[in-house]
């Protein structure tokens, strides 16, 4: 470990002064003093994890404002706005058009910022405000496009932010913690929606679905005002919540994790990401995977096919997502511990395929409800996939920011097209929809397998070169 100070502070810290070196700031202990480093590292990770927990809350609101139209659909949303044919599907799809357009420039901008907390919380307040003003069909169509435009800053930005604080073997669990916000949102938002739609319908002359948008949009704005002070910035940005030795270690950990790279212009970084075929391959695999997970955007509709009223249908949505959230932690933690990515992507997708096949085979209420529990297990595959992408493209922070946004942006294409996988005319069995989800899952697994074989050959070539030249073991791709 380098002995040079990474953070200059005014006060001498005897904790680091024990080495006897003269310095203007704290220096981290030598590698021989692993116990001291371990104490500081545990303290740093504990503080970081608390802020990641708040990041999850923000993502819950992000996903809730994205999918609340699906719950509103069960309480006259389509009828009141005079929607016919595939207009509701277009409403769901249009958000991801804006989402697709903004992710890459947003992440490249974020990489240059000193206060990402200010940027992300401002975007959150804007999409909350747009949610409140949803009205007529064409107004909803325009506002949902701009909601996607603003929301696009958050998830790829948050994932990139995590990659600037956590090491490769720590990232999977934290990314899972963040991504579980979508599952928690699916569970919590349906519970919240059932209460609002049933309890506030007709209050002050507004229908229940309008109150749903009012309440959730206002709650988003309130949380955004707190996010400015709680969300972390980058390790290089002075932080009052970190002590000097913790901030020094945070920067040191990232220097150990990624190779130093000379600053590049944004368009050069973007061009480098565009020229990397791995970015396109992973993006295409993720788009197929997202398409297979499109059932999540129509979950209340699938629950309603079992014949219960609106309130019970929404309440029934929660248990499958709660189980899916718990599974995400277990799978992500095991993926980090073993260093395996491919099988931890394939396994959940196969479980999801089983759920699709069960739903196709019967209209029995109990069995179809059981199929929903299997389907929600597939969501963790998305988490591991994005973590795998960050692990693979980890050598340059700027390229990683552009690549993660580009891959996630390509993934959102899956949402644009898959919104039309679930037309009302295919219900209540939705056999065709489930068959398409099975097909896209299998195609995604096949692409991930090809990518794993490529990385395996790269690792073998690196090992052979090191043996021939007598070099120590270097960087290896996670498989």
């Amino acid at each position: 470990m380098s002995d040079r100070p990474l953070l200059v502070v005014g006060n001498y810290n005897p904790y680091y002064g024990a080495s006897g070196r003269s310095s203007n700031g704290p220096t981290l202990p030598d590698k021989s003093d692993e116990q001291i480093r371990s104490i500081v590292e545990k303290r740093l990770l504990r503080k970081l994890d608390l802020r990641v927990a708040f990041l999850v809350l923000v993502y819950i609101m992000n996903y809730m404002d994205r999918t609340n139209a699906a719950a509103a659909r069960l309480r006259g949303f389509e009828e009141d706005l005079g929607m016919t044919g595939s207009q509701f599907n277009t409403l769901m799809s249009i958000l991801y058009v804006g989402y697709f357009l903004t992710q890459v420039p947003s992440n490249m901008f974020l990489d240059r910022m000193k206060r990402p907390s200010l940027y992300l919380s401002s975007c959150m307040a804007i999409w909350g405000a747009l949610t409140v003003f949803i009205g007529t069909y064409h107004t909803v169509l325009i506002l949902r496009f701009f909601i996607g435009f603003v929301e696009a800053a958050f998830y790829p930005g948050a994932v990139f932010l995590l990659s600037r604080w956590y090491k490769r073997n720590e990232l999977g669990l934290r990314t899972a913690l963040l991504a579980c916000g979508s599952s928690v949102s699916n569970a919590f938002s349906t519970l919240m929606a059932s209460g609002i739609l049933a309890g506030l319908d007709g209050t002050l002359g507004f229908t229940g679905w309008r109150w749903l948008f009012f309440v959730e949009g206002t709650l988003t704005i309130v949380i955004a005002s707190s996010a400015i002070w709680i969300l972390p910035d980058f390790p290089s940005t002075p932080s009052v919540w970190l002590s000097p030795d913790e901030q020094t270690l945070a920067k040191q950990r990232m220097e150990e994790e990624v190779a130093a790279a000379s600053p590049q212009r944004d368009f050069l970084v973007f061009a480098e990401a565009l020229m990397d075929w791995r970015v396109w391959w992973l993006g295409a695999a993720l788009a197929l995977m997202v398409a297979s997970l499109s059932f999540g955007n129509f979950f209340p509709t699938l629950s309603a096919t079992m014949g219960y009223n609106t309130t019970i249908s929404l309440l029934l949505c929660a248990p499958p997502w709660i189980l899916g959230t718990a599974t995400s932690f277990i799978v992500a933690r095991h993926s980090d511990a073993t260093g395996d990515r491919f099988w931890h992507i394939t396994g959940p997708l196969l479980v999801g395929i089983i759920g699709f096949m069960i739903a196709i085979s019967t209209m029995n209420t109990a069995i179809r409800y059981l199929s929903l529990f299997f389907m929600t297990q597939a969501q963790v595959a998305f988490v591991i996939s994005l973590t795998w992408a960050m692990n693979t493209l980890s050598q340059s922070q700027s390229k990683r920011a552009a690549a993660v946004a580009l891959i996630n942006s390509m993934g959102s294409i899956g949402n644009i097209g898959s919104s039309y996988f679930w037309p009302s005319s295919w219900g209540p069995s939705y056999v065709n929809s489930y068959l398409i989800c099975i097909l896209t899952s299998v195609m995604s697994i096949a692409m991930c397998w090809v990518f794993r074989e490529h990385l395996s050959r790269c690792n073998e070539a690196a090992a052979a070169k090191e043996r021939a030249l007598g070099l120590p073991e270097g960087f290896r791709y996670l498989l």
Side-chain angles (χ1 to χ4, degrees), residues 180-200:
C180 81
S182 64
S183 298
V184 173
S185 176
N186 279 317
F188 177 70
S189 65
T190 53
L191 294 175
M192 183 175 176
S194 65
I196 294 173
L197 292 175
L200 294 180

Side-chain angles (χ1 to χ4, degrees), residues 238-305:
S239 304
V240 295
W241 54 277
L242 289 178
S243 64
D245 51 353
E246 291 164 353
Q247 185 121 34
T248 301
L249 180 57
K251 296 171 67 177
Q252 185 79 55
R253 278 160 42 93
M254 292 299 99
E255 288 197 352
E256 295 168 355
E257 192 70 5
V258 299
S262 56
Q264 294 177 291
R265 294 182 181 274
D266 285 345
F267 73 90
L268 293 176
V269 172
F270 182 52
E272 186 181 349
L274 285 176
M275 294 293 288
D276 192 335
W277 71 270
R278 299 173 303 174
V279 171
W280 292 96
W281 190 269
L282 287 171
L286 194 67
L288 289 167
M289 187 182 302
V290 168
S292 74
L293 301 175
S294 59
F295 66 87
N297 292 332
F298 295 87
F299 212 72
T301 298
L302 299 181
S303 178
T305 62

Side-chain angles (χ1 to χ4, degrees), residues 55-323:
L55 204 62
V56 174
L57 176 60
V58 177
Y59 188 45
I60 289 173
M61 301 311 302
N62 176 281
Y63 210 82
M64 187 182 296
D65 291 338
R66 194 186 309 176
T67 59
N68 48 19
R73 187 186 196 186
L74 302 186
R75 185 65 75 143
F77 183 53
E78 283 183 286
E79 293 79 6
D80 289 352
L81 297 187
M83 295 187 216
T84 58
S86 61
Q87 284 187 320
F88 180 80
N89 303 86
T90 301
L91 198 68
M92 298 297 288
S93 176
I94 194 69
L95 183 143
Y96 295 99
V97 175
Y99 200 82
F100 168 74
L101 294 173
T102 316
Q103 289 184 71
V104 175
S106 175
N107 249 30
M108 294 176 68
F109 177 66
L110 184 69
D111 182 46
R112 300 291 180 177
M113 292 194 69
K114 291 186 177 181
R115 291 289 311 278
S117 59
L118 181 61
Y119 174 62
L120 294 177
S121 56
S122 298
C123 290
M124 183 184 182
I126 293 172
W127 87 60
L130 292 175
T131 299
V132 171
F133 291 110
I134 283 179
T136 64
Y137 173 72
H138 290 96
T139 301
V140 175
L141 204 63
I142 295 170
L143 288 179
R144 278 184 66 83
F145 170 79
F146 284 109
I147 287 173
F149 200 83
V150 181
E151 280 193 3
F154 181 75
Y155 186 73
V159 170
F160 175 63
L161 186 61
L162 292 182
S163 73
R164 292 286 296 268
W165 285 97
Y166 291 101
K167 298 169 71 173
R168 289 202 304 166
N169 64 333
E170 303 164 347
L171 196 55
L173 181 60
R174 273 71 180 193
T175 307
L177 179 64
L178 172 65
C180 81
S182 64
S183 298
V184 173
S185 176
N186 279 317
F188 177 70
S189 65
T190 53
L191 294 175
M192 183 175 176
S194 65
I196 294 173
L197 292 175
L200 294 180
D201 190 28
T203 302
L204 300 180
F206 294 108
T207 59
W209 65 262
R210 289 190 184 276
W211 276 110
L212 182 64
F213 292 122
F214 290 158
V215 173
E216 292 184 356
T218 303
L219 185 59
T220 298
I221 295 171
V222 171
I223 294 176
S225 63
S226 303
I228 298 175
W229 313 106
I230 299 176
L231 294 182
D233 293 312
F234 294 132
S236 57
T237 305
S239 304
V240 295
W241 54 277
L242 289 178
S243 64
D245 51 353
E246 291 164 353
Q247 185 121 34
T248 301
L249 180 57
K251 296 171 67 177
Q252 185 79 55
R253 278 160 42 93
M254 292 299 99
E255 288 197 352
E256 295 168 355
E257 192 70 5
V258 299
S262 56
Q264 294 177 291
R265 294 182 181 274
D266 285 345
F267 73 90
L268 293 176
V269 172
F270 182 52
E272 186 181 349
L274 285 176
M275 294 293 288
D276 192 335
W277 71 270
R278 299 173 303 174
V279 171
W280 292 96
W281 190 269
L282 287 171
L286 194 67
L288 289 167
M289 187 182 302
V290 168
S292 74
L293 301 175
S294 59
F295 66 87
N297 292 332
F298 295 87
F299 212 72
T301 298
L302 299 181
S303 178
T305 62
M306 289 182 284
Y308 296 105
N309 63 36
T310 298
T311 301
I312 294 177
S313 294
L314 289 171
L315 292 175
L316 288 175
C317 290
W321 288 115
I322 292 172
L323 179 62

Side-chain angles (χ1 to χ4, degrees), residues 424-435:
S424 299
S425 58
W426 286 1
S429 64
Y430 290 102
V431 171
N432 293 335
S433 306
Y434 289 127
L435 287 174

Side-chain angles (χ1 to χ4, degrees), residues 38-56:
S38 178
I39 294 171
V40 179
E41 197 161 29
K42 287 179 180 177
R43 201 166 62 222
L44 169 66
L45 291 176
R46 187 164 56 248
K47 289 183 177 181
L48 273 174
D49 289 343
L50 288 173
R51 277 164 171 73
V52 171
F54 188 82
L55 204 62
V56 174

